[in-house]
Short mmCIF file of all heavy atoms in Angstrom, two decimals:
data_model
loop_
_atom_site.label_atom_id
_atom_site.label_comp_id
_atom_site.label_asym_id
_atom_site.label_seq_id
_atom_site.Cartn_x
_atom_site.Cartn_y
_atom_site.Cartn_z
N LYS A 8 -4.91 27.78 6.24
CA LYS A 8 -5.94 28.52 6.00
C LYS A 8 -5.79 29.52 4.77
O LYS A 8 -4.61 29.95 4.57
CB LYS A 8 -6.39 29.44 7.23
CG LYS A 8 -5.35 30.40 7.74
CD LYS A 8 -5.88 31.15 9.01
CE LYS A 8 -5.33 32.45 9.20
NZ LYS A 8 -5.69 33.58 8.52
N ILE A 21 6.39 36.62 5.28
CA ILE A 21 6.92 35.18 5.16
C ILE A 21 7.46 34.91 3.78
O ILE A 21 8.28 34.18 3.56
CB ILE A 21 5.58 34.28 5.40
CG1 ILE A 21 6.17 32.83 5.65
CG2 ILE A 21 4.57 34.28 4.46
CD1 ILE A 21 6.92 32.50 6.99
N GLN A 27 14.41 34.43 1.04
CA GLN A 27 15.92 34.69 1.36
C GLN A 27 16.45 33.52 2.12
O GLN A 27 17.74 33.20 1.74
CB GLN A 27 15.84 35.88 2.39
CG GLN A 27 17.24 36.44 2.62
CD GLN A 27 17.12 38.07 2.97
OE1 GLN A 27 16.00 38.45 3.30
NE2 GLN A 27 18.14 38.60 2.68
N THR A 29 15.94 30.49 1.66
CA THR A 29 16.19 29.35 0.73
C THR A 29 17.28 29.65 -0.35
O THR A 29 18.04 28.81 -0.61
CB THR A 29 14.84 29.07 -0.16
OG1 THR A 29 13.82 28.90 0.83
CG2 THR A 29 15.07 27.84 -0.92
N SER A 48 6.44 42.87 -3.88
CA SER A 48 5.97 44.20 -3.64
C SER A 48 4.47 44.15 -3.24
O SER A 48 3.73 43.13 -3.78
CB SER A 48 6.15 45.08 -4.90
OG SER A 48 5.21 44.60 -5.92
N GLU A 86 3.31 28.77 -16.88
CA GLU A 86 3.62 28.32 -18.06
C GLU A 86 2.45 27.51 -18.85
O GLU A 86 1.63 28.11 -19.45
CB GLU A 86 4.87 27.43 -18.12
CG GLU A 86 6.07 28.34 -17.78
CD GLU A 86 7.28 27.74 -18.14
OE1 GLU A 86 7.37 26.91 -19.05
OE2 GLU A 86 8.35 28.18 -17.61
N TYR A 144 9.59 16.37 -3.90
CA TYR A 144 8.59 16.14 -4.97
C TYR A 144 8.79 14.66 -5.50
O TYR A 144 7.78 14.10 -5.82
CB TYR A 144 8.69 17.27 -5.94
CG TYR A 144 8.13 18.57 -5.39
CD1 TYR A 144 9.04 19.61 -5.32
CD2 TYR A 144 6.80 18.71 -4.89
CE1 TYR A 144 8.59 20.88 -4.85
CE2 TYR A 144 6.40 19.81 -4.46
CZ TYR A 144 7.19 20.89 -4.37
OH TYR A 144 6.71 22.06 -3.77
N ASP A 166 15.38 25.68 -14.01
CA ASP A 166 14.39 25.16 -13.21
C ASP A 166 13.98 23.80 -13.97
O ASP A 166 13.84 23.81 -15.23
CB ASP A 166 13.13 25.92 -13.16
CG ASP A 166 13.13 27.03 -12.03
OD1 ASP A 166 14.17 27.16 -11.33
OD2 ASP A 166 12.20 27.70 -11.89
N MET A 168 11.03 21.07 -14.61
CA MET A 168 9.60 21.15 -14.60
C MET A 168 9.19 19.60 -14.17
O MET A 168 9.75 18.68 -14.74
CB MET A 168 9.06 21.42 -15.94
CG MET A 168 9.66 22.65 -16.57
SD MET A 168 9.20 24.09 -15.75
CE MET A 168 7.58 24.29 -16.57
#
Side-chain angles (χ1 to χ4, degrees):
K8 62 182 200 84
I21 190 76
Q27 189 151 21
T29 309
S48 70
E86 291 202 22
Y144 289 117
D166 276 0
M168 314 287 282

